[in-house]
Structures are given as structure tokens and as C-alpha cells.
Amino acid sequence: MHSKAGRATNEKNAAIQGETRRTFVKKMAAGSAAFAAGVPVAAAPLQTAKSYSRIAGANNRVQVGFLGTGRMSRNHLRNLLSDHPGRADVVAFCDVYQKNLDFAKQQVPDAATFHKHEDLLALPGVDAVVVGSPDHWHALHAIHACEAGKDVYVEKPISISVGEGRKMVAATKAHNRIVQVGTQQRSNEVFIAAKDLIQGGKIGDVTFVRTWNYGNNYPNGIGNPADAAPFEGLDWDRWLGPAPLVPFNENRFGAIQDEAYTYKRFSSFRWFWDYAGGMMTDWGVHLLDIVLWVMRQQYPNTVTASGGKYLLEDNRETPDTLQATFQFDKFTCTYENRTTNGRRLEDMGYGIAFHGSKGTLVVNRSELFVYPEGDGRPTRRQNRTGGSHSRHIGNFLECVVSRATPTCDIETGHRSTSIAILGNLAYRTGQQVNWDGEQERISGNDVADRMLQPAYREPWSI
């Protein structure tokens, strides 16, 4: 499964990576210590200058590495190879699961492969990385990449705590990096049209917005597999990383594949609090991101939530039924998720409905509808171009070269991730969250306020 060219590349990398990794780890440790102390940290000047001068050269081809080669990263890899072949070269992969690396190596035989992200980040010639690791690794991978002088495309949610996200913003600024967040709906033509119509007054003044995901996994959900030995080729301790050390369980890992590398289901690590935030942070971030964008908002004032794990007979921790309410100055927004009843709303399994004084606009990734108040006839617009993932990562490549601000920069992605995290904090504490969006603190709910900061297992820290 490994070509001669690939082996030669890896042998060359092995010859240089010992010293480069030691150098990088020392710089990273020093940078992290200074960062924690509040001291501004600059990127390594020679590395950053070398990387940028090569990007700005004759061919403008961005050299890309992947941190994580699971389901989402495979989509991005496919987009890079098929839609942007003249703009980027995929040169390295990192994953703690050998099966994922084997799949990636089949797609790009000459790429270098690593099990430790520090080794990939120390590799000379990598301009940018795609962070497609599990959610609880996003912050560490993105911050370490910034410290190594790499630009970053990071999947949403960018973090599993608000404190992590704010440190990602700080690292991006301190090291002058381009960071694009994978909220690709901002590159989708129907969501762009929805923004333009609503901000242009098409449906009047909006006072209520509803977002939702509905489906039915009753009664077994993801099942109840017993704890067991990790899959062959999986470094379970490193997969856990900053999360608590627990026995391997295939539902906590979640990325179950057959012998042809085909995923059997949606990755179920998302349903455990140590690694993610359930549907609220997985899908809710996408939908709430559009609400913030369209309504020109950065954060709500208060958040309440209710729900529970009522019916599903599996070992997930996140709720099977949830409703969160976000109160802004001049409108209210709700997010609803049910996984034991799939009846659709507005004939959509997921979507956003903006309710205004002149009409209602309903949108998902495929189409939008405008329903005027009164007897006016509804209008429909379909997504004719598709490919929002490809356009979104294409925008990232453009910005790596031009140094322009990407479609969803890290500050924007942090705000969109934070609103979903606040919904989870309201649910988990059973109390209202009163949010100071400028200071990023919670008043009147001390438990939720403490949960804003991550609790990392040693030796991991940011």
C-alpha cells in the first residue's frame, strides 16, 4: 500500500524530522508558556518568511498537510484533489489510526505520514494544514499549527469550550496566520441569498428565528457496545489526548469503517461530552452561524435550555431531545433537536425559519422559500451551483496566497461555536446563562462559568 516514492519520501523526512521536531517542540513549549503568561508571541520569523515567499512565488501552489484523515478530512482531500489540483499539493497526513493513514496514502502515495501532529508541523515545506481531527483536538491542533507558522483550515466546532476558542483567536493574531473555519454554508448560494434578502428588508423586521434538526434513531440509537481493547493500529491514549483517560469503547471512538474504508455510520464520538457537544455543536453551529451572520449579531444576552435523554437505549451522554432559546436585544432564536421523531418542519428535516413583519424566509442547503404575509404567492430559489465545501476551501487557498481575511475567520467561527456551547451549558446546568459577550463571562451561574475553561489531561495544555 506504500509506493517506493512514498517510502523514499518518508525516509527523507525521517532523516530531517528528528532535529526539526525537537526544535519545534522547544519553540512550542516556550511559546505556550509565554502565551499562558499573557506575553505576545511572534511566529518564527525565518519559517514564516520562507513559507510566505514560496507561496507568493511563480506557481502559488499551497503545500497542505492534514491533521486527521477521517470522514470530514476525506471530503476536503477529495475537494483539493479534484477541484483545486493546480492550486494545492497535498504533502503530508497525520492520524493516530493506521487504517485512516492507509486510506490517505492510497489517495496520495507520495505524501509523508505521521502519527504525531508535532512531527507533521515540524516538516519543512508545509504551508497550511486542514484540521479534521475529533472536536476535542481542534483547539490544540490549530494553536500548535499557528505556533509552527502554518495557516489553518479548522473544522467546526472550533473547540469544545469557550476558553479554548478565545485562545485560538489569540494564537491566530499573535502568529499572523490565516485561519478559515469550516462553516461552509457561508459559501452556499442560497444562504448568501437569504442574507441579502433579509438584510434588504424583504421580510421586514425579524423578531423570531427557529432552527432545527429532526430525525429518528429510536430505540437503539448507537447501541451499547462493551469496553474492549482498542482497534488494531489505533493509539487510543493519543486519540484521547487532553480528554480523561478511559477504556476504549467503539462508540466513544465512533469512526467505524469496513474493509473498504467505507464508514458504517456517522461518527458517534460526537455524543460524548469529553469530545464534543452533541447535535448542538455538530449541526447547531452551522445553523446558528447563519443566524448570527444574517442578523448581524455576535452573541446573545441570555440562554436557556431544556430536554433530556428520554428514549434512546444507548450509551450516549448527550440528549435525544433538546430545545435552547437564545435571547438577543430585538429578537428571539431557538434551536431544536429531536432524535426520536422525524416529522419534518416546513417539509425540511433541518433548516432555519426567519419570521419577519412582512413575511417568512425558510432555508436549508438546497433551497429557500419566501412566504409573504397575507395572500402573496411564495417564491422559491434552489441551490444551482452546489459545492459549498469546495468553494469554502478554495477561498481558504486564495487567502493563504493573498493574506486576505477568509469567508469565516477565526473570530467569527469562535462566536458561532460559543453560542452553541452556551446552549449546552444552559442544558447541562439546568440554569439560565447570562452572557457577557465582551468579557466572555457568565453571571449568576457559577458552575457554567467555570465550565467555560477547558480541563486538560496532562501533559496536554494550552
Side-chain angles (χ1 to χ4, degrees):
M1 302 180 75
H2 300 277
S3 68
K4 292 181 179 178
R7 288 195 299 270
T9 300
N10 283 339
E11 288 169 3
K12 179 180 179 182
N13 292 336
I16 62 174
Q17 90 180 37
E19 182 58 34
T20 55
R21 181 176 185 272
R22 283 192 293 272
T23 302
F24 167 67
V25 171
K26 289 179 181 178
K27 289 181 179 179
M28 187 173 67
S32 296
F35 187 65
V39 179
V41 182
L46 292 178
Q47 184 178 21
T48 303
K50 178 181 178 182
S51 176
Y52 180 76
S53 66
R54 181 160 45 74
I55 293 172
N59 59 22
N60 285 346
R61 294 174 70 91
V62 181
Q63 310 299 295
V64 180
F66 277 74
L67 300 181
T69 54
R71 182 193 296 269
M72 283 306 302
S73 282
R74 293 179 189 185
N75 290 336
H76 297 315
L77 177 61
R78 187 160 44 247
N79 288 330
L80 284 176
L81 297 179
S82 63
D83 298 344
H84 306 285
R87 304 170 64 187
D89 296 316
V90 177
V91 297
F93 298 110
C94 175
D95 205 292
V96 298
Y97 187 29
Q98 185 61 44
K99 190 166 188 174
N100 284 344
L101 286 179
D102 291 343
F103 172 85
K105 195 71 171 176
Q106 285 185 357
Q107 315 311 306
V108 188
D110 291 336
T113 58
F114 304 95
H115 284 280
K116 297 181 178 180
H117 72 279
E118 300 97 330
D119 292 339
L120 186 149
L121 294 177
L123 185 66
V126 175
D127 304 313
V129 294
V130 173
V131 176
S133 47
D135 299 358
H136 67 295
W137 267 104
H138 288 177
L140 273 169
H141 280 163
I143 289 172
H144 288 176
C146 288
E147 292 174 346
K150 317 299 185 185
D151 296 322
V152 180
Y153 184 106
V154 58
E155 264 305 322
K156 49 88 329 249
I158 66 163
S159 62
I160 62 171
S161 70
V162 173
E164 286 179 312
R166 179 48 60 192
K167 290 182 179 181
M168 294 168 76
V169 174
T172 301
K173 293 178 179 178
H175 298 281
N176 194 27
R177 294 294 91 204
I178 298 296
V179 178
Q180 172 90 297
V181 176
T183 51
Q184 74 278 356
Q185 291 182 163
R186 290 188 178 227
S187 297
N188 181 306
E189 68 166 287
V190 290
F191 287 108
I192 295 170
K195 175 181 71 72
D196 293 342
L197 287 168
I198 293 171
Q199 293 182 358
K202 180 70 174 179
I203 62 171
D205 295 323
V206 175
T207 58
F208 180 67
V209 184
R210 191 175 193 174
T211 68
W212 68 92
N213 294 107
Y214 300 148
N216 195 337
N217 302 125
Y218 177 82
N220 297 321
I222 56 175
N224 283 286
D227 294 343
F231 293 154
E232 182 180 357
L234 170 65
D235 184 342
W236 177 239
D237 181 74
R238 194 168 181 91
W239 188 95
L240 290 170
L245 181 62
V246 295
F248 173 80
N249 186 282
E250 68 175 55
N251 278 351
R252 287 180 173 270
F253 177 57
I256 314 302
Q257 306 169 56
D258 61 22
E259 293 303 314
Y261 305 104
T262 301
Y263 281 97
K264 296 182 179 180
R265 67 183 188 196
F266 202 55
S267 295
S268 54
F269 72 81
R270 293 169 169 86
W271 318 139
F272 295 86
W273 295 120
D274 287 339
Y275 323 124
M279 285 294 285
M280 174 66 82
T281 57
D282 191 68
W283 257 97
V285 169
H286 278 307
L287 302 176
L288 296 168
D289 172 67
I290 296 298
V291 175
L292 295 180
W293 188 38
V294 169
M295 299 298 290
R296 297 188 175 101
Q297 299 293 311
Q298 291 189 316
Y299 45 79
N301 299 319
T302 63
V303 185
T304 56
S306 60
K309 186 183 176 186
Y310 297 132
L311 295 178
L312 291 184
E313 300 171 359
D314 59 19
N315 66 344
R316 80 178 63 206
E317 297 171 347
T318 58
D320 58 33
T321 305
L322 178 67
Q323 182 173 55
T325 300
F326 306 88
Q327 185 64 51
F328 294 84
D329 286 340
K330 294 186 177 181
F331 74 98
T332 299
C333 173
T334 63
Y335 173 74
E336 300 174 10
N337 172 231
R338 44 179 156 83
T339 57
T340 59
N341 179 285
R343 183 171 177 80
R344 295 151 72 89
L345 178 65
E346 302 283 0
D347 199 29
M348 296 178 180
Y350 70 95
I352 311 172
F354 296 89
H355 298 272
S357 56
K358 296 180 181 180
T360 298
L361 187 150
V362 183
V363 62
N364 65 14
R365 293 176 178 179
S366 300
E367 56 193 347
L368 71 79
F369 297 87
V370 177
Y371 301 93
E373 288 288 283
D375 297 328
R377 298 186 63 180
T379 58
R380 178 191 185 206
R381 175 168 178 167
Q382 290 182 286
N383 179 0
R384 297 178 299 271
T385 58
S388 56
H389 277 100
S390 182
R391 287 195 297 277
H392 206 60
I393 204 164
N395 171 256
F396 170 64
L397 296 176
E398 292 171 3
C399 293
V400 169
V401 175
S402 70
R403 314 312 287 174
T405 301
T407 298
C408 187
D409 64 5
I410 188 63
E411 178 70 43
T412 302
H414 169 59
R415 297 289 185 181
S416 298
T417 295
S418 293
I419 185 175
I421 291 173
L422 295 177
N424 276 338
L425 292 181
Y427 164 74
R428 296 179 72 182
T429 61
Q431 299 181 45
Q432 177 171 295
V433 167
N434 303 302
W435 183 238
D436 180 344
E438 292 301 317
Q439 298 298 317
E440 298 191 339
R441 296 294 305 271
I442 295 170
S443 61
N445 186 341
D446 293 341
V447 175
D449 190 59
R450 289 194 295 271
M451 293 170 71
L452 293 173
Q453 301 303 322
Y456 275 20
R457 178 170 67 110
E458 293 183 352
W460 309 106
S461 65
I462 54 173

